[in-house]
Amino acid sequence: MNEKARRVPAGAAVLQEDVTAAITAAFFREWARVGYAALSIEAVARRAGVGKAAVYRRWPSKLAMASELLLKSGIRVAQVPDTGSLEGDVRALLEGAYRLLRRPLVRRILPDLHSEMRRSAPLARAIRGTLQVERRAMGEALVRRAIARGELPATIDVDLVLDLLPAVLYWRLVVTGMETPPGYLDDLQALTMGALRGLAAARA
Amino acid sequence: MNEKARRVPAGAAVLQEDVTAAITAAFFREWARVGYAALSIEAVARRAGVGKAAVYRRWPSKLAMASELLLKSGIRVAQVPDTGSLEGDVRALLEGAYRLLRRPLVRRILPDLHSEMRRSAPLARAIRGTLQVERRAMGEALVRRAIARGELPATIDVDLVLDLLPAVLYWRLVVTGMETPPGYLDDLQALTMGALRGLAAARA
Amino acid sequence: MNEKARRVPAGAAVLQEDVTAAITAAFFREWARVGYAALSIEAVARRAGVGKAAVYRRWPSKLAMASELLLKSGIRVAQVPDTGSLEGDVRALLEGAYRLLRRPLVRRILPDLHSEMRRSAPLARAIRGTLQVERRAMGEALVRRAIARGELPATIDVDLVLDLLPAVLYWRLVVTGMETPPGYLDDLQALTMGALRGLAAARA
Amino acid sequence: MNEKARRVPAGAAVLQEDVTAAITAAFFREWARVGYAALSIEAVARRAGVGKAAVYRRWPSKLAMASELLLKSGIRVAQVPDTGSLEGDVRALLEGAYRLLRRPLVRRILPDLHSEMRRSAPLARAIRGTLQVERRAMGEALVRRAIARGELPATIDVDLVLDLLPAVLYWRLVVTGMETPPGYLDDLQALTMGALRGLAAARA
DNA sequence: TTCTAATCGAGACGGTACGTCCCGTCTTGCC
DNA sequence: GGCAAGACGGGACGTACCGTCTCGATTAGAA
């Protein structure tokens, strides 16, 4: 950031994109390094080679910055295609979640995010308004297709299914921080299908 | 703190219980007031009418203080008795976990602890050395009894079962922060038993 | 602040003169109030209505602050002009030293500086690099002129002369803290000239 | 200090001499190490292997402790015998002063002491009431003997002589902290005798 | 001999100050 | 007007000592 020629936009008085990009990159690197709570705007600016004012010009607070950058950052629930069977859909979802939660940055950031959400309504709203909505929509679609195929009863508790699908991987990878042995996803797939059958039976 | 009669100091150069109590009370009052992240030890000491050193003499950090006070305040994995059947044991465990995770304070602090564990090896060791060991022992005993009764095959992946048991409640109550509708535990029980059956079948 | 003249702020992010002035004033007021040893930077900042960092940005320590402020406040070895005779030069030097060491502030701070020099190499270097060098240069010039005039032999021990010139006044005014009676400088002048003659005779 | 059997004085409830001795020793070692200003009672007690209260039981403050211990410590002006001539007396005095001021502990402690004296009337009184009185008495006796022998005029300014005698050595050894080359005392002797002659001539 | 009273090492107590870091705001001169 | 740089008043950090106090144990002299 420091020495580069600024091949800057048209008029002045416009936030420069490369500065924003440098801040964004620095922000995630700092987050991964020290965690959300210990993350200081000063350090982000320093690492980005940017004045503090450049940060404050863009976002009023650390939280606002986090919210916006996360949404833009591509921490997204993978798309789950219709594979034609519940079993295939579940497998696809588990694999997508696994690919996401396996990333070290994600494993460090998610607990911070969930911690802060407990405390900050605006952040919670920002997150829930996008990530969770997306996740929920995807999960509901999966369940609806299964009901349509007759693989699940229409009476099934969709919320509980939505809790089940990410829960075990999140616990394992994010909360305990442990790795997974070979074949883990296969076992998890069997476990999940059994759980869905158990749930279906209870509501049948 | 200054003028109070010091009833039963007991030992020499020993941390005084009434000071500890004052700090503890102030800690939770401050937590409620500003949240964990913004909680300053200075403010806790001030509110307790105590020198900062009196706090640092007891705990090396905010997180250590939080961990210990929470443990003392009753955040414990409930004991799971041998109910005579896998189904009963699972139900007891789920109910214990539910009682724990339902408490607002626990729902606020657990993500903080898990976040910080990702970063602080000493804290991770401290937590794992107590809570997790306890939890794991309890889960393993449950599985072993089930194997002994013939309810689960000896080949079952114990680690995965240990992931399963707390995962859904943790996700629901702690991560999403949502409440549970009536009958949630019943459904969760059915779900969990189905999951165990699915897992058993896969390994049979 | 240290070496460059700071006339007319000139650049951005430059220490502001009015803040420096406020700190300086507060420093001397605090010194007068509680003495050097008990002087706390916190109190200086408080009294100046300034953040502590504003003080530390200017000086790394209480002693550095004291040294610089004193130098600026006019504690300088007086210039000794060539009066045309050894006698006149000595008299000028004694009078310069007297004017300096008579000031109460100087009498309070000099022993502190000398004490601390015994312990702090950096401070010693700083002081020696300015005050002592200046003093030595002046003394050597005086002696060299006297040798050129034939008033002192070329074999004279210059170091010892340099010890002699300030020694008695320093002892009297700074170490014992006593005042001087009228005519003291006249007697001291006679004493010093006698000493130089004695020294010259010993080396003749 | 810790394990020794206490073969203590007469009655109980009496300050124990070996504790006092341990504190005294620790006090001087700490003084030499960090200087008077930075000397903490806590460190003295720690180094002496003694509780803080044992120190406070003996002296109400650091200053009181310093005053008393210094007086007892043997930092004394050496006795100057009547050698039969002014020259011999001066030489004896200079040698005594040199022996004293050459000691590293003394070179470190004296400037601190003089600094504190400037600020603390009680300390100044304690020191002046003993050391200085003693020194003055010795110097006056020396001058009186010289007057009696006809070596100095009766009109000589005794105070100025008293300033002269210690001044150069103090400046050289204590203030500048430099060492002395071989023959320094011889030159200093010549210098001092010359000074006395010059002073005598002025008052003749 | 038993009691009593003050000493001992240890260290907790409420405080103050240390020197550092970061907060969010503001200012300066360059582009 | 955005930019890098960084000073500003403020506040918390975690540490070191302050001088006081309390503890249980030791230790003799007085009862």
Side-chain angles (χ1 to χ4, degrees), chain B residues 93-104:
Chain B
L93 188 145
L94 290 178
E95 282 177 350
Y98 179 69
R99 271 193 301 276
L100 178 66
L101 299 178
R102 196 179 42 187
R103 294 164 53 188

Side-chain angles (χ1 to χ4, degrees), chain B residues 29 49-50 63 101 131 147 166:
Chain B
R29 263 177 287 142
V50 138
L63 248 136
L101 299 178
L131 271 187
I147 293 173

Side-chain angles (χ1 to χ4, degrees), chain D residues 34-55:
Chain D
V34 300
Y36 181 83
L39 189 160
S40 81
I41 301 254
E42 198 129 357
V44 170
R46 209 182 302 129
R47 186 183 270 258
V50 138
K52 278 201 290 177
V55 179

Side-chain angles (χ1 to χ4, degrees), chain A residues 113-176:
Chain A
L113 201 52
H114 287 131
S115 293
E116 281 315 304
M117 280 172 61
R118 295 263 65 74
R119 223 145 10 235
S120 160
L123 178 65
R125 248 175 281 125
I127 301 296
R128 274 202 258 278
T130 52
L131 272 187
Q132 312 250 105
V133 160
E134 203 173 328
R135 193 181 62 75
R136 183 175 189 87
M138 193 138 15
E140 282 178 342
L142 182 150
V143 172
R144 243 178 293 111
R145 289 199 301 266
I147 293 174
R149 290 188 203 104
E151 293 166 312
L152 288 178
T155 54
I156 201 163
D157 181 346
V158 180
D159 277 346
L160 190 47
V161 176
L162 289 173
D163 292 343
L164 166 69
L165 292 172
V168 176
L169 275 172
Y170 185 87
W171 175 269
R172 174 74 173 216
L173 295 172
V174 179
V175 177
T176 76

Side-chain angles (χ1 to χ4, degrees), chain C residues 55-76:
Chain C
V55 179
Y56 284 108
R57 227 171 266 132
R58 288 167 170 77
W59 306 279
S61 68
K62 190 166 78 165
L63 247 137
M65 178 171 13
S67 314
E68 191 194 314
L69 292 184
L70 282 167
L71 285 179
K72 277 199 181 158
S73 74
I75 296 192
R76 300 229 83 99

Side-chain angles (χ1 to χ4, degrees), chain C residues 7-37:
Chain C
R7 16 155 189 61
V8 193
V14 153
L15 300 175
Q16 293 179 213
E17 280 176 25
D18 55 348
V19 171
T20 305
I23 295 171
T24 302
F27 180 78
F28 284 117
R29 263 178 286 143
E30 281 296 301
W31 195 343
R33 196 171 63 86
V34 299
Y36 180 84

Side-chain angles (χ1 to χ4, degrees), chain D residues 37-129:
Chain D
L39 189 160
S40 81
I41 301 254
E42 198 129 357
V44 170
R46 209 182 302 129
R47 186 183 270 258
V50 138
K52 278 201 290 177
V55 179
Y56 283 108
R57 225 172 269 127
R58 286 167 171 77
W59 304 278
S61 70
K62 190 166 79 167
L63 212 50
M65 178 170 16
S67 312
E68 190 191 317
L69 292 185
L70 279 168
L71 292 181
K72 287 196 179 160
S73 72
I75 294 192
R76 313 220 81 102
V77 182
Q79 295 303 316
V80 175
D82 181 351
T83 64
S85 72
L86 174 58
E87 187 132 24
D89 287 3
V90 164
R91 180 64 183 219
L93 188 144
L94 291 178
E95 281 177 350
Y98 180 68
R99 270 193 301 277
L100 178 66
L101 299 178
R102 201 178 39 188
R103 291 163 54 191
L105 190 61
V106 174
R107 285 160 88 168
R108 290 192 145 214
I109 283 181
L110 276 188
D112 289 323
L113 201 51
H114 288 130
S115 293
E116 280 316 304
M117 278 172 63
R118 294 263 66 75
R119 229 157 351 247
S120 160
L123 178 65
R125 249 175 282 126
I127 300 297
R128 274 202 258 277

